[in-house]
Amino acid sequence: MVDVAGRVTRPGVVRLPAGSRVVDAIDRVGGVLAGTDTTGVGLARVLVDGEQILVDGRPGPPPVVAAPAPGTAGSSPAGGGGGAQSGPIDLNSASSEQLDGLPGVGPVLAGRIVQWRTEHGPFRSPEQLGEVTGMGDKRLADLLPLVKV
């Protein structure tokens, strides 16, 4: 279940199957209002149970969403439960599911980040994320404002 709010036809709480994406939730509430910019929404991101999708019409990076700890009631393979992350994600404590919620980071790259941390110890700076296999300069630049150590 997710709460879709803002510049949409019928804001409200909707129930969707596990693995649904932000675009599915927006479609379920009738789509966005005419003239609404959705570039900051992250339409392809997998939903997290209990989160709020805010379609405010402002361009920018999509909000970062944190997944709950494993075993949380109502959790699903998509990382159900939990709500919006209030700030940058800590690279040294984030789960693979939390990292997967970052823009441009899928399950494979999230796994590599966790593996790097396991093999090399804690990240000493966010820039060290660039040492992870598959992390290009563009993706790193996009992620630096969204992560911390």
Side-chain angles (χ1 to χ4, degrees):
M1 291 183 71
V2 295
D3 177 13
V4 185
R7 298 186 46 83
V8 293
T9 306
R10 295 180 312 273
V13 176
V14 294
R15 182 181 304 267
L16 295 155
S20 294
R21 304 202 177 251
V22 171
V23 69
D24 301 323
I26 291 172
D27 286 346
R28 182 68 59 91
V29 297
V32 298
L33 298 176
T36 300
D37 184 344
T38 59
T39 59
V41 178
L43 297 171
R45 185 177 53 76
V46 175
L47 294 169
V48 175
D49 183 41
E51 76 173 283
Q52 180 183 56
I53 308 299
L54 178 59
V55 181
D56 60 11
R58 292 183 289 179
V64 177
V65 177
T72 301
S75 66
S76 69
Q85 177 80 15
S86 61
I89 289 181
D90 188 321
L91 290 172
N92 293 320
S93 62
S95 68
S96 182
E97 291 80 15
Q98 288 172 309
L99 294 166
D100 185 13
L102 290 167
V105 177
V108 172
L109 185 54
R112 288 181 186 158
I113 294 169
V114 171
Q115 180 181 1
W116 188 98
R117 186 174 67 200
T118 301
E119 293 174 358
H120 298 92
F123 286 92
R124 293 183 305 280
S125 72
E127 291 77 13
Q128 211 172 11
L129 192 58
E131 296 177 18
V132 174
T133 302
M135 182 66 64
D137 292 339
K138 169 79 170 93
R139 184 172 295 143
L140 177 62
D142 290 344
L143 292 175
L144 285 178
L146 305 175
V147 297
K148 66 179 182 177
V149 293

